[in-house]
Amino acid sequence: MGDQNPTSRQYTWRITNFTGFTGEKHYSEVFTLGGNAWRILIFPKGNGVECLSMYLDVADSARLPYGWSRSAHFRLILVDQNNNDYSRIKETEHDFTARESDWGFTSFIPLSELHDIRNGYLVNNTLTVVAEILGPQRPAENTQVAEPPANVPQATPIDTFDAYFTNLEEIINAAQSSPARGGSNTNNQRGALLTSGAPTLDEVEKAKLSLKECLSDIFKLNVKDRLAEAMSTLSIAKSGLSLDQQKSVKAFWANFDEFTSDFLTFEQDNAEFELQKLLKDQMFTTMKKNHETHISYKQLLGDLTKEEEELNKKLEEVKSRREKLISDWEILMVESEEAKSGHKGQEKKVAEAEVKKRIAEERMSRSTVAWSNLKMLFG
């Protein structure tokens, strides 16, 4: 049993026959503090430890909206019924969520101390615990945390599924409407290796052709040596290049290692980006597929619900027929009992009538003899 003052922030739970508790854990009745519904949760033999475990639990967590959160500063008290000054008090703060809807103390007090008769915690096999909300409860931003009316039905697993997959659908729609991201391409290719001696005009033309082929695509590691050879040749060419081409080649060749390092870093980072993008797309595909499966499950549940309703209807009809049969059977039994009682009564009456009949027969026999004699003499 529990006591609660409507104007206070305390709830007292008096647990009688404490040692007679069966089961691992026990809840108090639901109480309201600060406009929110709570319960006290205890593990009389400990939650995996040799201690009394005690927690504050959000009683209506199953029917709160998806993503709810509730902050509370509270204390739990184990009352010493002989001397209140020795009561065991523990205090904490917590942000309660659907994942952590209860919070408290696994090792509230060792079981040996709890059951020690010299202490006043367990008196006449009665334990008294108190939950107290110390300060204002702060609902998290952008959440709807309110005490629902008492007649609001408990949320079903279907409500939870719908809320979750509705949120998932919003994420999918947001992902589909956001612009695709990608890396930028570049056609500046870099590299060179030193060669000695001025190249011939034919070598210059071959180097220019090789450079052109290298520049036809984004820089790749497998063209570095080929690009270096071409740049090396062109950087010392005396003819076959325009002045602007010579300046460009020499500038590129002077910073060849730095430029190729930039491109190689880009290639690695771009590959990492593509990999992460691929994984993201895979996760998105999985979300989408799971949402589609959720829709099919919902349709299947609707079919099963209809089937269940039809079966329940048939079951009600069968129950009605069964009840009528039982009723008719009871009437039959009453009628049979009446017939049985009547039969016994009739047996007695038949016996009495038989005696009368026998006496009448004897008298009739005498009268018949007299009648026959008379008839013989005068007839």
Side-chain angles (χ1 to χ4, degrees):
M1 296 294 294
D3 298 325
Q4 179 182 359
N5 185 331
T7 61
S8 75
R9 288 184 172 268
Q10 279 192 352
Y11 171 81
T12 301
W13 184 19
R14 291 182 177 85
I15 309 169
T16 59
N17 193 27
F18 177 79
T19 58
F21 265 168
T22 58
E24 181 182 9
K25 60 184 178 180
H26 295 275
Y27 290 92
S28 71
E29 63 185 10
V30 177
F31 56 90
T32 301
L33 295 179
N36 291 309
W38 304 96
R39 293 183 299 183
I40 299 173
L41 166 63
I42 65 168
F43 289 74
K45 297 181 181 179
N47 186 12
V49 295
E50 291 295 318
C51 296
L52 173 70
S53 303
M54 184 155 48
Y55 310 85
L56 184 64
D57 174 71
V58 176
D60 55 348
S61 61
R63 58 178 193 261
L64 291 175
Y66 180 81
W68 68 271
S69 174
R70 180 188 299 172
S71 298
H73 179 196
F74 65 96
R75 67 167 53 140
L76 296 173
I77 305 170
L78 176 61
V79 178
D80 188 312
Q81 299 171 66
N82 295 334
N83 188 337
N84 194 56
D85 292 337
Y86 291 102
S87 295
R88 188 68 61 93
I89 302 173
K90 293 200 175 184
E91 180 178 329
T92 187
E93 292 184 356
H94 184 62
D95 291 330
F96 294 85
T97 62
R99 183 170 299 217
E100 293 181 341
S101 61
D102 57 65
W103 194 258
F105 307 93
T106 300
S107 301
F108 194 95
I109 185 174
L111 294 179
S112 57
E113 290 187 37
L114 177 68
H115 292 276
D116 192 334
I117 59 175
R118 292 171 297 179
N119 299 323
Y121 301 123
L122 192 59
V123 177
N124 296 327
N125 205 16
T126 298
L127 199 74
T128 301
V129 296
V130 176
E132 181 180 9
I133 302 297
L134 298 176
Q137 300 167 55
R138 306 179 306 278
E141 295 182 2
N142 300 323
T143 60
Q144 303 173 8
V145 182
E147 174 68 9
N151 60 353
V152 173
Q154 288 281 344
T156 65
I158 311 306
D159 297 329
T160 303
F161 296 151
D162 271 341
Y164 175 81
F165 282 101
T166 296
N167 178 263
L168 185 67
E169 184 178 17
E170 292 174 357
I171 296 173
I172 292 172
N173 292 336
Q176 287 178 324
S177 62
S178 62
R181 298 181 180 179
S184 59
N185 293 329
T186 179
N187 289 325
N188 298 323
Q189 310 300 328
R190 316 167 194 240
L193 291 174
L194 291 174
T195 60
S196 59
T200 64
L201 188 59
D202 184 54
E203 289 174 333
V204 170
E205 290 302 322
K206 288 181 179 180
K208 287 169 66 178
L209 179 61
S210 179
L211 176 60
K212 185 177 181 180
E213 291 174 351
C214 289
L215 295 175
S216 64
D217 194 8
I218 191 171
F219 179 82
K220 301 291 182 183
L221 181 61
N222 58 359
V223 301
K224 179 179 178 182
D225 292 341
R226 184 179 176 190
L227 178 62
E229 182 179 356
M231 293 300 295
S232 175
T233 299
L234 295 176
S235 67
I236 58 175
K238 302 298 184 181
S239 60
L241 296 174
S242 67
L243 183 60
D244 288 340
Q245 287 176 329
Q246 290 179 1
K247 290 181 180 180
S248 178
V249 166
K250 288 181 180 179
F252 193 99
W253 178 247
N255 298 283
F256 177 79
D257 289 337
E258 182 180 348
F259 289 160
T260 53
S261 176
D262 289 344
F263 275 91
L264 290 174
T265 300
F266 166 78
E267 185 176 0
Q268 293 171 352
D269 292 345
N270 186 60
E272 175 67 17
F273 165 77
E274 293 297 336
L275 174 62
Q276 297 303 327
K277 184 173 179 294
L278 176 62
L279 293 175
K280 174 194 165 188
D281 291 343
Q282 289 176 344
M283 294 301 102
F284 176 78
T285 300
T286 299
M287 285 194 306
K288 214 174 167 187
K289 180 180 178 182
N290 288 348
H291 184 265
E292 292 170 355
T293 304
H294 158 69
I295 298 300
S296 66
Y297 281 177
K298 196 171 181 180
Q299 293 173 346
L300 179 59
L301 179 64
D303 295 339
L304 291 176
T305 301
K306 290 180 181 178
E307 185 177 346
E308 183 181 20
E309 290 173 353
E310 293 174 358
L311 290 174
N312 286 336
K313 185 177 179 181
K314 290 182 180 179
L315 180 60
E316 288 301 321
E317 293 175 356
V318 171
K319 285 182 178 179
S320 177
R321 289 165 56 192
R322 182 181 183 277
E323 289 172 357
K324 186 177 183 308
L325 176 62
I326 296 298
S327 177
D328 292 346
W329 210 338
E330 289 174 346
I331 293 172
L332 181 65
M333 186 174 68
V334 171
E335 292 177 349
S336 298
E337 185 62 25
E338 291 175 353
K340 185 173 73 171
S341 299
H343 179 265
K344 288 183 178 179
Q346 286 304 120
E347 282 183 336
K348 183 177 180 181
K349 290 180 180 180
V350 167
E352 292 174 352
E354 187 178 10
V355 171
K356 290 180 179 180
K357 177 186 175 184
R358 188 170 60 253
I359 294 172
E361 286 176 344
E362 291 175 354
R363 290 179 178 177
M364 183 65 181
S365 177
R366 292 196 304 267
S367 298
T368 301
V369 170
W371 175 267
S372 296
N373 290 333
L374 184 64
K375 185 176 180 180
M376 184 176 63
L377 294 174
F378 295 93

